[in-house]
Amino acid sequence: MRITQRAVALTSLQGLNRNLDAFGKLQQQLTSGRLLSAPSDSPTGTNRAMQTRSDQEATSQFVRNIADGKSWLDQTDATLQSMMDVTRRVRDLTVQGSNTGAMSDTARKALATEVSSLRESLLGLANTTVAGRPLFGGITPGAQAYHPDTGAYLGTTDTPVSRRVSGTEEVRIDISGAEAFGSQAAGADLFAIVDDIATHLATGGDPDALVADLAALDARMGGMMFAVADVGARSARMEREGDIALDQGIVLETRLAEVENIDLPNTIMRLQMQQTGYEAALAATAKALSPTLLDYLR
């Protein structure tokens, strides 16, 4: 087969163009610091990068959900602790008022007034809100879980409030008023009990009635302590899930860097090798191409 001078020139130029294209691609990668500038650079790598970014978005949302849920649970815990302190004060006053031998009617009425004031404080705490939503009201559209005067429950109990913390898990972040302070169906909720104590103190301090009130209050305080423990356990779970989500975020960031980012030392070495090869190809091409008539006419 006859090989013409033109064929040699075309083949040499094509080889030089391929070398120059590879050199330019490495240079562009080194300049941008990225392996993938377009999907055509690596369809497989692009698919992996897109999937990893999707996982990152989901993980970021989980982190936001966990932060929101943790804030809600922490506020619930603080409110319950404050209400426990107020309830203990009510209990102390009830014990004091049941001491018929050393308590005058005037003093007992003063205790009743203080207990009534403490009931108002309890209702105010029970209506604590986060972002405009009552802590103990469930998904109620209203701004209060309890009526501030009657103590009637205005919230809902059928649908818990939860936050998704991973692809497979949700954590409940609320506790209803009925769970924390008792059901109003039998008049056994905290506010009804405190109201009964105030009434019995104001009307003479019947020892038997106050003893029954004290027993009911102790039972209700036990329920509140259980609620505090439940909220604390869920808060601790939120912390664990938050740590897991943060670790997952680091793993995904590393995975994405492996797909998209260049290996700097390796890229520099390849660029230098490509440059050396291109320069050698130029020199070889210059020797391979025979002089033309124009070279003699210069």
Side-chain angles (χ1 to χ4, degrees):
M1 183 179 70
R2 181 172 178 269
I3 300 176
T4 64
Q5 182 65 26
R6 183 172 182 275
V8 173
L10 288 175
T11 302
S12 299
L13 288 174
Q14 289 173 355
L16 288 174
N17 284 334
R18 284 194 296 270
N19 286 341
L20 187 60
D21 182 67
F23 179 77
K25 185 175 181 180
L26 287 171
Q27 193 172 41
Q28 190 273 334
Q29 289 178 355
L30 188 62
T31 302
S32 65
R34 298 170 63 87
L35 284 173
L36 303 177
S37 298
S40 58
D41 292 337
S42 174
T44 303
T46 300
N47 182 64
R48 290 181 58 194
M50 292 176 63
Q51 182 60 52
T52 303
R53 289 188 182 280
S54 177
D55 292 342
Q56 282 183 317
E57 288 296 326
T59 301
S60 297
Q61 184 60 56
F62 295 149
V63 170
R64 291 191 291 270
N65 291 348
I66 290 168
D68 177 65
K70 186 69 166 57
S71 174
W72 188 294
L73 288 168
D74 288 346
Q75 183 62 61
T76 302
D77 179 73
T79 303
L80 286 172
Q81 294 286 1
S82 297
M83 294 184 71
M84 285 291 296
D85 292 339
V86 176
T87 306
R88 290 188 187 98
R89 176 58 181 166
V90 172
R91 188 184 191 283
D92 292 342
L93 295 175
T94 305
V95 172
Q96 185 178 348
S98 63
N99 187 359
T100 57
M103 184 68 58
S104 65
D105 289 341
T106 301
R108 193 173 289 108
K109 288 181 180 179
L111 292 180
T113 300
E114 184 175 355
V115 170
S116 295
S117 177
L118 292 174
R119 179 179 179 273
E120 293 177 2
S121 297
L122 287 170
L123 282 170
L125 288 168
N127 282 325
T128 300
T129 60
V130 173
R133 297 180 60 184
L135 278 177
F136 304 104
I139 60 171
T140 177
Q144 294 179 323
Y146 287 89
H147 193 284
D149 297 324
T150 65
Y153 186 58
L154 306 176
T156 61
T157 59
D158 53 344
T159 305
V161 180
S162 61
R163 294 291 182 270
R164 180 165 291 281
V165 297
S166 71
T168 58
E169 292 183 274
E170 289 186 359
V171 176
R172 185 183 178 190
I173 64 170
D174 78 317
I175 185 167
S176 69
E179 291 173 302
F181 313 122
S183 173
Q184 293 184 334
D189 73 318
L190 174 66
F191 313 105
I193 294 170
V194 175
D195 187 51
D196 288 343
I197 292 172
T199 300
H200 293 151
L201 287 172
T203 56
D206 181 4
D208 293 336
L210 289 175
V211 168
D213 292 338
L214 191 61
L217 187 64
D218 287 341
R220 192 64 265 139
M221 290 178 67
M224 292 172 67
M225 286 188 287
F226 179 81
V228 170
D230 183 26
V231 169
R234 282 186 264 161
S235 181
R237 183 182 175 190
M238 277 288 192
E239 288 184 0
R240 291 193 298 271
E241 293 295 340
D243 292 340
I244 293 172
L246 290 176
D247 290 342
Q248 180 68 13
I250 295 173
V251 170
L252 291 172
E253 189 69 29
T254 302
R255 185 185 303 170
L256 185 63
E258 292 174 352
V259 175
E260 289 189 338
N261 297 345
I262 64 170
D263 181 348
L264 187 60
N266 181 56
T267 303
I268 292 175
M269 181 185 67
R270 290 172 58 201
L271 182 65
Q272 291 175 341
M273 292 176 61
Q274 192 67 43
Q275 182 178 8
T276 301
Y278 179 65
E279 292 173 351
L282 281 176
T285 301
K287 293 180 179 179
L289 295 179
S290 301
T292 65
L293 181 59
L294 291 175
D295 295 319
Y296 293 105
L297 295 177
R298 288 177 181 177

